[in-house]
Amino acid sequence: MDGTLTDSDTLHFEAYRETFLKLTPSFNGGERISREYYDDWMSGNSNPAIVEKLFPEMLAEDQTALWKAKEEVYRKISTTMTLLPGLLEFLDGCQSEGLAMILVTNAPRLDAVHTLNILGLSDRFEETMVIGYECPRAKPHPDPYLEGLSRLDLPADACVAFEDSVNGVSSAVSAGLYTFGVGEGSQERLKGVIGGGICVSDYLDSRLHAALGVAPRDTE
């Protein structure tokens, strides 16, 4: 959802920077992490996986406390968010065609609910969410998407996924789903993992509508 419904990755990046500087001041030599570091090592991963990877010597309860503190910061600073261009019309178009939709995310449940509320999408997805770290394995493993397919009672070749990160695309592709990369720069960022899928800048991209045969519904 972070990067496919809204550009909230910047907010997560800032939340990590603030939390690490406050609670782990010696990390990264006392310097704030860069956006490049975040994109390469953290984006698209679950919070438990990120903290375990960066702080392997930390006690499990301290790791949990650290990522939960980060999520508190995220919820505090994410009071306004904007849907990606064309998303609402695209969702309406899919709904009018009778297409089933499910949200598969590595975000913690509290954050996912918070983000959906801010975006006004709770009625569409809150009851149909798959939370990555509530599965046996989170993204980049296929488990979250396999759980989503099970809930929909559909085979992988009857579904498509939308992802913006390497971990997300890897999860969807390994579960057998045709995958669209979403976001500016996605072609370069995801070219090594997208397989036969295509990358689009947003939900206004005509290539997306042509591939799915779904026209965006005019909400005016």
Side-chain angles (χ1 to χ4, degrees):
M1 66 188 301
D2 297 306
T4 55
L5 301 183
T6 183
D7 184 15
S8 54
D9 235 16
T10 298
L11 295 169
H12 285 287
F13 167 60
E14 292 298 338
Y16 266 119
R17 277 163 58 97
E18 180 177 330
T19 304
F20 284 176
L21 193 64
K22 180 179 180 181
L23 299 182
T24 58
S26 62
F27 177 70
N28 198 37
E31 298 291 329
R32 290 180 182 268
I33 59 172
S34 67
R35 184 57 192 257
E36 182 180 11
Y37 183 94
Y38 174 82
D39 289 341
D40 289 345
W41 295 99
M42 302 165 72
S43 180
N45 255 319
S46 67
N47 286 309
I50 290 171
V51 173
E52 183 178 5
K53 182 175 183 177
L54 297 181
F55 303 97
E57 75 291 345
M58 190 179 285
L59 294 175
E61 56 265 34
D62 293 333
Q63 291 178 347
T64 299
L66 181 59
W67 69 255
K68 285 188 174 181
K70 173 262 173 180
E71 293 308 322
E72 288 181 8
V73 174
Y74 167 76
R75 291 191 293 272
K76 181 179 179 180
I77 65 177
S78 57
T79 56
T80 59
M81 286 182 273
T82 304
L83 295 172
L84 290 185
L87 174 63
L88 188 59
E89 294 82 359
F90 180 72
L91 292 177
D92 285 343
C94 290
Q95 189 171 28
S96 69
E97 294 290 334
L99 301 178
M101 293 177 281
I102 195 166
L103 179 65
V104 179
T105 179
N106 264 355
R109 185 169 292 276
L110 276 177
D111 280 10
V113 170
H114 167 82
T115 300
L116 290 175
N117 284 336
I118 295 293
L119 294 174
L121 296 177
S122 296
D123 59 331
R124 296 178 188 262
F125 292 117
E126 189 168 338
E127 299 302 318
T128 58
M129 287 194 298
V130 176
I131 303 298
Y133 78 89
E134 294 178 359
C135 298
R137 299 175 299 176
K139 302 175 188 178
H141 300 287
D143 305 43
Y145 274 103
L146 294 176
E147 173 64 21
L149 292 172
S150 176
R151 293 188 191 183
L152 292 173
D153 194 24
L154 290 170
D157 61 7
C159 302
V160 298
F162 298 87
E163 284 287 355
D164 73 306
S165 69
V166 170
N167 284 319
V169 170
S170 298
S171 176
V173 170
S174 61
L177 280 81
Y178 183 92
T179 304
F180 290 92
V182 179
E184 294 293 338
S186 58
Q187 182 69 50
E188 179 64 26
R189 186 171 65 252
L190 305 175
K191 63 182 180 181
V193 292
I194 196 71
I198 63 173
C199 294
V200 297
S201 56
D202 54 39
Y203 296 93
L204 296 173
D205 197 308
S206 60
R207 294 172 298 168
L208 172 60
H209 306 144
L212 294 180
V214 175
R217 184 178 177 185
D218 189 353
T219 57
E220 294 297 326

